[in-house]
Amino acid sequence: MQKLSPQTIAVHSGTKRSQYNEMSEAIFLTQSFKYKTAEQAEDLFLNPKKEEFGYSRYENPTVRMFEERMAAIEKTEDAYATATGMAAVHGALFSILKAGDHLVASRALFGSCLYIIEELLPRFGVEISFVDGIDLDDWESSITTNTKVVFVETISNPTLEIIDLAAVSEIAHRKGALVIVDNVFTTPVFSLASSLGADVIIYSATKHIDGQGRCLGGVICGTEEFIQKVVLPFMKHTGGSLSPFNAWILLKSLETINLRCRTQAESALKIAKSLEKHPKIKKITYPYLKTHTQYSLAKKQMTGGGTVIAIELVGNKKTTFSFLNNLKIISISNNLGDSRSLITHPATTTHQRLSIDQKKYLGINDGLVRLSVGLEDVKDLVVDLKQSLTAV
Ligand SMILES: *Cc1c(COP(=O)(O)O)cnc(C)c1O
C-alpha cells in the first residue's frame, strides 16, 4: 500500500461502507443494534469486537469511522471519540490515574484542564506538581521515577508559549512516565506530536476539527492497548461518548481541515506581520513570527504557526473593550478555530477565575486579547482590526 499524505488520509481514512455503498459516510443514528441470536449477544459482551456493535455508548459505526480517521491522521494505533474536549481530557487522566500516583503538568493550562488537575485529581489522592512549561530543568527535577503521567498543552492559551515536546518526552520516558498532550492550539494539521514522543494526543474537536462552530466533540489518540484496555472501559461506563450525528459532522469537517487550517494560519501570519509595528500595539505573539522567543522551536515542532494570535494593546481595560466593541467583522466569542474570526479578552472571560498572581505569572493583563483567525479574506480582517485600533 502506498504511503498516503495527510490530506488524503483526512479525506479517506476510516471510511466504512454499508451494503448500499454510499459515497458519503452514513450516520448510524441508533442507540442499539439487533443481535442475530442470543449467542451472538452473549459473545459480544464476553469478547467486545471493534467491528461489531451492541450499544452506542460503547461503540457506533459512524463514531468508529471518525476514530479511525483521527488515529490515521495522528499516526497512533487507535483513538476514542468523546462528547467534548473536556470529556477527552477527563477520560484520559481518570482512566489511567489512581490514588498515590504522581502527575506533573505545565502551569499554563486551559481553565477546565486546570480545574481537573488542581481540584479534582487531588480529591482522589493523586499527587500533583506544576512546572514552568518552558523550563526544562524544572521538568527534569519535578518528574521522578514515581511519576505516572506528564500532562502538557503543547501551546499555551492564550499567551502561545510552546512546550519542547521532544525534550519533555525524553525526560518523561527516561523516568517511565506517560506523556499526554492537549494539542488543540497546534491543530491536527500542524502536529508532529506522536513523532516527537507524545504517547497520548488529545483534541477538543469542537475547535479546528469541526472548524465551523457547530458541535462539541473530542478525541483521545494513543496505542491500541491504552485506548482499548484503559480508556474504553472507563468511557463506556461513565458516559462521555460522542454522538453519531456529531461524529458525522466531524468526519465531513476533516475533509477540509487541511485547506481551512492552512489558509487560516497564512492569514494569521499576515495579520501578525501587518500589526507588528502598530503604535497602539505593545506586543504581538504568534509562533511563526520571528520575534516569538521560541520561533526556532515552533519551526521544528509544528508544520505551521497555528490559527491564533495573542495581541497586547497599549492601554487599559476600557480601551481594550472599546477596541473589541468597535470591530465590525470579527466577533467577540470564546471559541477558537472557527471559520469566522473570533476575539476574546481572556482576563475577564476564559481566565477570569485566576488570581491576580496567576494572571501575572501567565502574562494575562487587561490589554491582552486572543484572536482566532477565520476564513474571511485577510485584507478585510486587517482593515477591520486597523479601523478599530484607530477608533480607540
Ligand atoms: C477548548 C479547549 C478544551 C475543551 O474543549 P471542549 O470541547 O470545549 O470541552 C480543552 N483544551 C483546550 C486547549 C481547549 O482550547
Side-chain angles (χ1 to χ4, degrees):
M1 182 70 183
Q2 139 197 25
K3 199 162 165 285
L4 299 178
S5 65
Q7 293 92 315
T8 311
I9 289 171
V11 174
H12 286 283
S13 289
T15 302
K16 291 177 213 310
R17 299 203 156 86
S18 77
Q19 72 271 35
Y20 301 116
N21 263 324
E22 63 281 352
M23 210 48 239
S24 172
E25 296 81 356
I27 313 177
F28 289 90
L29 209 50
T30 180
Q31 296 164 343
S32 63
F33 299 80
K34 185 178 152 87
Y35 303 109
K36 288 195 188 79
T37 59
E39 286 78 6
Q40 189 205 0
E42 182 187 31
D43 182 52
L44 197 60
F45 269 79
L46 202 61
N47 310 300
K49 295 174 190 64
K50 271 197 203 155
E51 298 303 325
E52 281 181 42
F53 302 94
Y55 191 58
S56 285
R57 173 152 48 74
Y58 296 9
E59 276 294 14
N60 171 282
T62 313
V63 175
R64 189 66 206 150
M65 289 191 256
F66 172 65
E67 290 168 344
E68 287 188 11
R69 192 168 296 173
M70 281 309 303
I73 289 170
E74 290 302 318
K75 299 187 171 50
T76 55
E77 289 170 9
D78 208 346
Y80 184 85
T82 56
T84 65
M86 285 325 300
V89 173
H90 171 249
L93 293 176
F94 271 73
S95 64
I96 185 88
L97 291 166
K98 60 176 187 329
D101 286 342
H102 179 229
L103 173 142
V104 182
S106 49
R107 200 170 283 117
L109 293 178
F110 178 68
S112 301
C113 295
L114 191 65
Y115 177 76
I116 288 181
I117 291 174
E118 199 175 33
E119 304 274 337
L120 292 187
L121 285 173
R123 278 194 219 169
F124 296 88
V126 177
E127 271 179 59
I128 307 299
S129 305
F130 285 109
V131 301
D132 175 349
I134 60 174
D135 181 352
L136 290 175
D137 293 335
D138 206 358
W139 284 108
E140 184 72 65
S141 60
S142 299
I143 303 173
T144 70
T145 47
N146 290 326
T147 305
K148 180 94 159 263
V149 168
V150 165
F151 182 85
V152 304
E153 285 172 21
T154 38
I155 303 182
S156 72
N157 170 21
T159 47
L160 309 179
E161 272 180 13
I162 303 163
I163 305 273
D164 187 337
L165 206 48
V168 173
S169 299
E170 189 278 318
I171 299 169
H173 290 158
R174 182 156 32 84
K175 303 188 187 193
L178 187 80
V179 178
I180 302 183
V181 305
D182 176 334
N183 212 27
V184 166
F185 276 65
T186 309
T187 86
V189 172
F190 304 124
S191 173
L192 301 166
S194 59
S195 68
L196 295 168
D199 300 301
V200 177
I201 303 152
I202 292 171
Y203 288 101
S204 162
T206 310
K207 311 294 165 52
H208 306 84
I209 295 176
D210 172 59
Q212 288 146 88
R214 297 164 299 187
C215 70
L216 300 169
V219 67
I220 306 168
C221 303
T223 61
E224 188 175 0
E225 169 87 11
F226 181 73
I227 298 298
Q228 296 298 323
K229 302 262 167 64
V230 179
V231 172
L232 181 66
F234 180 88
M235 293 305 299
K236 79 179 187 184
H237 297 303
T238 54
S241 34
L242 180 65
S243 129
F245 185 76
N246 288 358
W248 178 80
I249 290 178
L250 299 173
L251 275 165
K252 295 293 96 191
S253 286
L254 283 177
E255 295 173 8
T256 56
I257 193 170
N258 280 280
L259 293 172
R260 287 184 283 106
C261 285
R262 286 187 194 287
T263 304
Q264 286 166 268
E266 262 171 44
S267 298
L269 182 59
K270 281 185 191 152
I271 290 170
K273 280 183 177 163
S274 74
L275 296 183
E276 220 173 359
K277 303 222 163 62
H278 197 286
K280 287 185 178 165
I281 289 178
K282 200 190 266 178
K283 186 178 167 198
I284 197 148
T285 309
Y286 179 70
Y288 263 33
L289 211 53
K290 288 204 177 81
T291 52
H292 193 295
T293 51
Q294 297 169 292
Y295 173 70
S296 59
L297 178 62
K299 283 279 185 177
K300 197 175 84 182
Q301 175 157 311
M302 311 158 68
T303 60
T307 68
V308 176
I309 310 171
I311 304 170
E312 193 181 333
L313 303 186
V314 176
N316 53 22
K317 177 174 155 188
K318 189 160 166 267
T319 51
T320 310
F321 272 24
S322 119
F323 165 70
L324 295 186
N325 294 338
N326 283 329
L327 290 165
K328 305 278 188 286
I329 302 168
I330 300 166
S331 305
I332 303 169
S333 175
N334 302 339
N335 196 15
L336 61 94
D338 197 326
S339 52
R340 285 150 290 221
S341 292
L342 308 176
I343 199 156
T344 307
H345 186 246
T348 54
T349 60
T350 51
H351 294 69
Q352 190 190 87
R353 210 173 66 85
L354 300 187
S355 66
I356 292 170
D357 279 352
Q358 281 174 309
K359 281 182 195 165
K360 211 169 163 187
Y361 173 82
L362 296 176
I364 298 167
N365 55 43
D366 283 339
L368 184 76
V369 296
R370 183 190 78 191
L371 174 64
S372 168
V373 179
L375 283 172
E376 302 92 344
D377 189 319
V378 64
K379 292 195 287 297
D380 293 338
L381 296 176
V382 171
V383 169
D384 194 24
L385 290 159
K386 286 190 174 163
Q387 67 77 24
S388 192
L389 285 167
T390 307
V392 173

